[in-house]
Amino acid sequence: VQLQASGGGLVQAGGSLRISCVASARTSGYTMAWFRRAPGKEREFVARISGNGGATSYADSVQGRFAISRDNRKNAVYLQMNSLKPEDTAVYLCAAQRNAVTDEYGYWGQGTQVTVSS
């Protein structure tokens, strides 16, 4: 499965942005997630969503500001980002096929850059 992320860009602090990730194959059975990697920092978890979209989980740093969703008809997952802060600046990566035991993902996309100016 190949994952293609898009929709990143430059936005002012307080603004909103929606990024997308489209898979090359059916992903309805997979938990999908967004991670991010900021300059000089390790990759960190942002949000994940279950295969049927019924369960979501967020990092404390984005809880209440970001919303993850998916459209299994399009093999896509989305991240709506509101009230953006400069510290949200990062490359956002999508991932699929979470192993619930190891919390590792089998598939990764190449990422999309989100830059929040102050």
Side-chain angles (χ1 to χ4, degrees), residues 1 12 24 37 49 53 67 69 78 82 98 103 110 116:
V1 177
Q12 288 188 332
S24 62
R37 184 187 296 116
I49 187 167
S69 62
Y78 308 100
N82 300 323
R98 176 178 180 252
D103 200 26
Q110 87 293 349
V116 184

Side-chain angles (χ1 to χ4, degrees), residues 3 13 22 26 36 38 50 55 58 68 70-72 76 86-87 89-90 96-97 100 109 112-113:
L3 303 175
V22 178
R26 187 174 180 179
R36 66 187 181 187
S50 61
Y58 296 92
I68 189 170
R70 66 189 298 161
D71 184 343
N72 286 337
E87 51 264 43
T89 294
Q97 196 188 50
T112 186
Q113 176 71 47

Side-chain angles (χ1 to χ4, degrees), residues 24-90:
S24 62
R26 187 174 180 179
T27 54
S28 58
Y30 297 155
T31 290
M32 297 188 74
W34 287 99
F35 288 75
R36 66 187 181 187
R37 184 187 296 116
K41 295 185 178 180
E42 293 187 355
R43 185 179 66 199
E44 67 170 341
F45 167 76
V46 176
R48 67 171 177 259
I49 187 167
S50 61
N52 65 3
T56 58
S57 181
Y58 296 92
D60 289 344
S61 58
V62 307
Q63 180 76 48
R65 298 189 298 122
F66 290 10
I68 189 170
S69 62
R70 66 189 298 161
D71 184 343
N72 286 337
R73 297 167 299 174
K74 299 180 180 179
N75 297 325
V77 63
Y78 308 100
L79 187 67
Q80 177 67 44
M81 303 181 289
N82 300 323
S83 301
L84 282 161
K85 305 175 181 180
E87 51 264 43
D88 294 319
T89 294

